[in-house]
């Protein structure tokens, strides 16, 4: 009987498509799922290719070459543990399990230790690009057991998206670094999506633009230096008509759902005390959108004045908006990458940020032409403390800064909601301030809670009885 090079557990859309991708690059693949319908679908879609489906787990494992390589593409959480428990007795020392789902990185850390203890190789691998990416080239972020990665490296490099002849996959680092990087990728994804949603709001509410103009603008931006997957799909969405000839997007409920990776990014950023406010805001806005009834009620209490005339003069507006979008985009990437560099120090992930930017240039949801600029920035200076310090990035920010100020100021004056834009300029203004008013916060904390404070140019910590001035007392 022929043995298969790679096995995949989970024959949902992602699993099936990844297996077909593997097979179309000349590697044989076995797929396992308890659901016979999904297995049948694999065999139909993979007719004529070196793929085989299984509903029996023992037969599936027996069909694999040794050491067995099994990629899990199942929903994150308990299911991953359940699958591992089911597979473990059938596996031999040296076999490799790869978790290709969106697992929480702390779960991956536990699983790495747990499986290492029983002689199995395990690594967590973020896979981005959705259904299309899985089939024709995703971006993959494998981290953990390096030896195991090297064993499957030829397969992963063959099936990954390719940009300038380079595969969008690289060894990310030890432990759960692969899943950590994928989580931050998703945080960035949420924030860019919110920035595009703000852009749409400005177009339709501030400028009263119709669908054609909205569509054309997104499509136009996607042709030049702003080229990105999220702009491309946005342009497509504004071209998609329902059967009655009207835009489908206009019929979709304005309540955004999520599966949790954005929220995890926000949670870990507060644990690491590394601010990523635009990502936090994007998570919050999805949650806020769910309060539809409350929003409807509040919209009658605080009625928004209608703009009879467009808020901006059309000639200058297009440039203003494009420059503001550029500013926002660069700021969002910078926040996400800042979080990666902090996590790399804390968890000793040894992340190579130039490499991460490189593998995000293709296949993944946040791919855009800016990632080449980011890659170059970290190639020039691997230890760059913040992307804003890169000369090319800083010149983009300086060039576009005034536009975002004008855009936000006028939108706010006219009552148009632009939370992501307002947040990016707020972040910029705070992080480029050598002096912040945080000294006052320290004084207040000390006043009501005797939490102490430090003094400029004087060592030690101090406390003051603020209500009865008698000087600061060293603690
Ligand atoms: C990707 C995506 C993907 C993500 C979904 C849904 O990189 O292919 O990030 O992994 O899980 O797009 O995410 P939400 O349901 O949280 O929006």
């Amino acid at each position: 009987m022929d043995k298969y090079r790679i096995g995949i557990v989970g024959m949902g859309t992602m699993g099936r498509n990844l297996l077909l991708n593997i097979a179309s690059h000349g590697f044989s693949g076995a797929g396992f799922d308890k659901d016979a319908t999904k297995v049948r679908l694999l065999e139909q879609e993979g007719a004529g290719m070196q793929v085989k489906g299984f509903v029996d787990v023992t037969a599936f494992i027996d069909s694999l070459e040794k050491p067995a390589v099994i990629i899990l593409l199942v929903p994150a959480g308990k299911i991953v543990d359940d699958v591992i428990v089911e597979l473990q007795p059938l596996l031999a020392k040296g076999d490799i399990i790869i978790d290709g789902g969106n697992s929480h990185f702390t779960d991956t850390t536990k699983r790495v230790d747990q499986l290492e203890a029983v002689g199995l190789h395990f690594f967590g691998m973020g896979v981005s690009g959705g259904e299309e990416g899985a089939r024709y080239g995703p971006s993959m972020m494998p981290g953990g057991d390096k030896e195991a990665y090297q064993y499957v490296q030829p397969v992963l490099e063959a099936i990954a998206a390719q940009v300038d002849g380079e595969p969008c996959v690289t060894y990310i680092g030890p432990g759960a670094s692969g899943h950590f990087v994928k989580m931050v990728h998703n945080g960035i994804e949420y924030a860019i999506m919110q920035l595009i949603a703000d852009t749409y709001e400005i177009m339709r509410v501030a400028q009263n633009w119709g669908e054609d103009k909205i569509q054309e603008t997104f499509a136009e931006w996607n042709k030049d230096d702003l080229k990105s997957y999220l702009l491309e799909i946005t342009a497509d969405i504004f071209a998609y008509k329902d059967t009655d000839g009207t835009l489908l997007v206009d019929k979709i409920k304005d309540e955004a759902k999520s599966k949790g990776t954005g929220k995890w990014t926000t949670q870990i950023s507060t644990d690491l005390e590394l601010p990523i406010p635009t990502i936090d805001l994007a998570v919050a806005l999805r949650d806020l959108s769910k309060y539809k009834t409350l929003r409807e009620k509040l919209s009658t209490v605080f009625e928004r004045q209608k703009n009879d005339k467009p808020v901006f003069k059309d000639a200058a507006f297009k440039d203003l908006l494009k420059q503001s979008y550029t500013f926002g985009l660069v700021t969002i990437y910078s926040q996400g990458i800042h979080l990666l560099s902090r996590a790399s120090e804390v968890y000793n992930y040894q992340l190579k940020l130039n490499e991460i930017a490189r593998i995000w240039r293709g296949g993944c949801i946040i791919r855009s032409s800016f990632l080449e600029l980011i890659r170059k920035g970290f190639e020039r200076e691997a230890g760059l403390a913040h992307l804003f310090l890169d000369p090319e990035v800083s010149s983009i920010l300086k060039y576009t800064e005034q536009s975002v100020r004008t855009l936000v100021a006028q939108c706010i004056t006219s009552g148009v909601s632009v939370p992501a834009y307002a947040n990016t300029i707020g972040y910029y203004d705070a992080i480029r301030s050598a002096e912040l008013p945080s000294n006052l916060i320290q004084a207040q904390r000390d006043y009501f809670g005797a939490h102490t404070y430090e003094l400029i140019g004087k060592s030690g910590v101090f406390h003051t009885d603020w209500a009865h001035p008698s000087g600061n007392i060293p603690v």
Side-chain angles (χ1 to χ4, degrees):
M1 194 184 93
D2 284 344
K3 295 284 184 187
Y4 294 88
R5 176 81 163 90
I6 303 279
I8 295 189
V9 173
M11 286 295 99
T13 329
M14 288 296 285
R16 278 201 321 277
N17 279 300
L18 200 71
L19 200 63
L20 296 175
N21 183 0
I22 290 171
S24 50
H25 283 91
F27 303 98
S28 57
F32 166 73
D33 203 296
K34 285 186 176 144
D35 182 342
T37 323
K38 289 183 182 159
V39 171
R40 261 199 307 279
L41 258 181
L42 167 75
E43 300 220 316
Q44 275 164 23
E45 291 167 0
M49 297 170 112
Q50 278 186 290
V51 292
K52 187 167 165 59
F54 294 85
V55 282
D56 179 278
V57 70
T58 312
F60 165 67
I61 299 291
D62 283 348
S63 79
L64 300 174
E65 274 177 17
K66 281 294 185 186
V69 177
I70 300 152
I71 305 178
L72 312 183
L73 278 164
V74 297
K78 190 176 172 300
I79 301 183
V80 176
D81 290 315
D82 293 346
V83 171
I84 292 174
V85 166
E86 195 174 355
L87 295 179
Q88 219 174 302
L90 305 170
L91 297 176
K93 277 199 168 39
D95 286 347
I96 300 166
I97 302 179
I98 303 166
D99 176 10
N102 274 332
S103 289
H104 195 286
F105 75 100
T106 52
D107 287 340
T108 305
T109 309
K110 273 187 242 145
R111 289 170 189 144
V112 167
D113 296 342
Q114 173 198 328
L115 292 171
E116 199 182 271
V118 295
L120 293 174
H121 296 286
F122 178 82
F123 64 87
M125 179 171 78
V127 179
S128 180
E131 189 181 331
E132 182 87 358
R135 179 66 185 88
Y136 299 105
S139 172
M140 288 172 286
M141 294 146 251
D145 192 326
K146 194 167 189 178
E147 204 188 312
Y149 169 70
Q150 282 164 342
Y151 184 72
V152 278
Q153 191 176 351
V155 180
L156 298 180
E157 287 185 350
I159 65 168
Q162 311 284 321
V163 175
D164 298 337
E166 292 178 293
C168 293
V169 62
T170 191
Y171 177 70
I172 297 287
S177 57
H179 275 145
F180 192 95
V181 168
K182 175 58 177 28
M183 176 188 73
V184 175
H185 163 286
N186 282 25
I188 295 172
E189 171 185 307
Y190 277 47
I192 299 176
M193 288 165 81
Q194 183 59 46
L195 190 73
I196 297 177
D198 272 21
T199 310
Y200 163 44
E201 183 75 347
I202 298 166
M203 289 167 168
R204 66 173 181 177
V205 177
Q207 293 304 92
N208 300 321
W209 277 12
E211 57 198 54
D212 289 344
K213 214 161 169 183
I214 295 177
Q215 197 278 334
E216 273 163 29
T217 306
F218 284 127
E220 203 180 288
W221 287 2
N222 190 45
K223 281 193 199 117
D224 54 29
D225 48 338
L226 281 182
K227 191 167 174 48
S228 74
Y229 175 71
L230 284 168
L231 281 181
E232 177 191 326
I233 63 163
T234 306
D236 285 353
I237 289 168
F238 283 102
Y240 191 93
K241 302 268 166 63
D242 203 359
T243 39
D244 62 4
T246 64
L247 273 194
L248 179 59
V249 70
D250 287 345
K251 297 180 182 169
I252 296 180
K253 268 189 172 179
D254 57 342
E255 295 178 45
K257 305 277 192 287
S258 46
K259 295 204 188 78
T261 46
K263 178 178 81 179
W264 298 344
T265 314
T266 283
Q267 286 171 330
I268 201 64
S269 87
T270 55
D271 289 344
L272 296 178
E273 299 175 7
L274 189 292
I276 47 163
T278 316
I279 296 174
D280 301 343
L281 174 104
V283 174
L285 256 288
R286 285 200 193 188
D287 290 337
L288 188 149
S289 76
K290 292 169 196 148
Y291 292 84
K292 178 75 171 171
T293 318
L294 176 64
R295 288 192 284 118
E296 280 171 345
K297 216 176 264 170
L298 289 169
S299 75
T300 61
V301 180
F302 305 104
E303 229 176 302
R304 181 162 69 191
Q305 82 216 42
K306 286 263 173 305
N307 301 313
D308 302 330
K309 285 194 304 219
V311 171
F312 301 93
K313 290 207 176 63
D314 223 28
F317 172 68
K318 275 195 162 187
D319 270 354
L320 189 82
L321 191 60
K322 191 175 174 193
Q323 289 186 15
S324 303
Y325 180 78
T326 307
F327 180 97
L329 190 69
V330 171
T331 303
I332 291 166
Y333 282 128
S334 301
Q335 290 179 14
I337 288 172
H338 199 199
L339 176 59
L340 288 183
S341 53
R342 176 85 186 121
S344 190
E345 284 165 17
V346 175
Y347 304 122
N348 193 23
Y349 282 157
Q350 298 152 40
L351 300 181
K352 294 187 182 68
L353 299 173
N354 60 325
E355 274 292 280
I356 293 170
R358 180 184 71 73
I359 64 162
W360 282 353
R361 293 177 310 162
C364 67
I365 306 296
I366 63 167
R367 63 182 185 257
S368 78
S369 33
F370 272 103
L371 284 153
E372 177 57 19
L373 188 109
I374 297 173
R375 183 187 72 85
K376 280 199 195 130
F378 284 105
E379 216 112 275
R380 272 193 295 270
E381 196 180 334
L384 202 62
H386 193 285
L387 205 48
F388 282 8
L389 291 169
D390 176 70
E392 282 197 46
V393 169
S394 64
S395 64
I396 292 174
L397 290 170
K398 283 178 188 165
Y399 182 71
T400 53
E401 174 192 335
Q402 200 46 52
S403 294
V404 75
R405 291 190 193 287
T406 308
L407 184 93
V408 170
Q410 296 214 34
C411 283
I412 289 179
T413 308
S414 311
V416 179
S417 168
V418 285
Y421 280 106
N423 186 288
T424 56
I425 188 71
Y427 171 79
Y428 170 91
D429 280 334
I431 206 151
R432 62 92 185 250
S433 291
E435 278 157 24
L436 285 171
S438 318
N439 49 333
L440 175 59
I441 294 171
Q442 282 298 80
Q444 290 164 330
R445 290 178 68 243
D446 188 57
Y447 192 122
F448 61 66
H451 295 300
T452 74
Y453 53 86
E454 291 165 297
L455 286 172
I456 302 163
K458 210 167 175 183
S459 57
V461 287
F462 301 89
H463 167 61
T464 295
D465 183 356
W466 295 87
H468 309 95
S470 61
N472 50 52
I473 308 149
V475 179

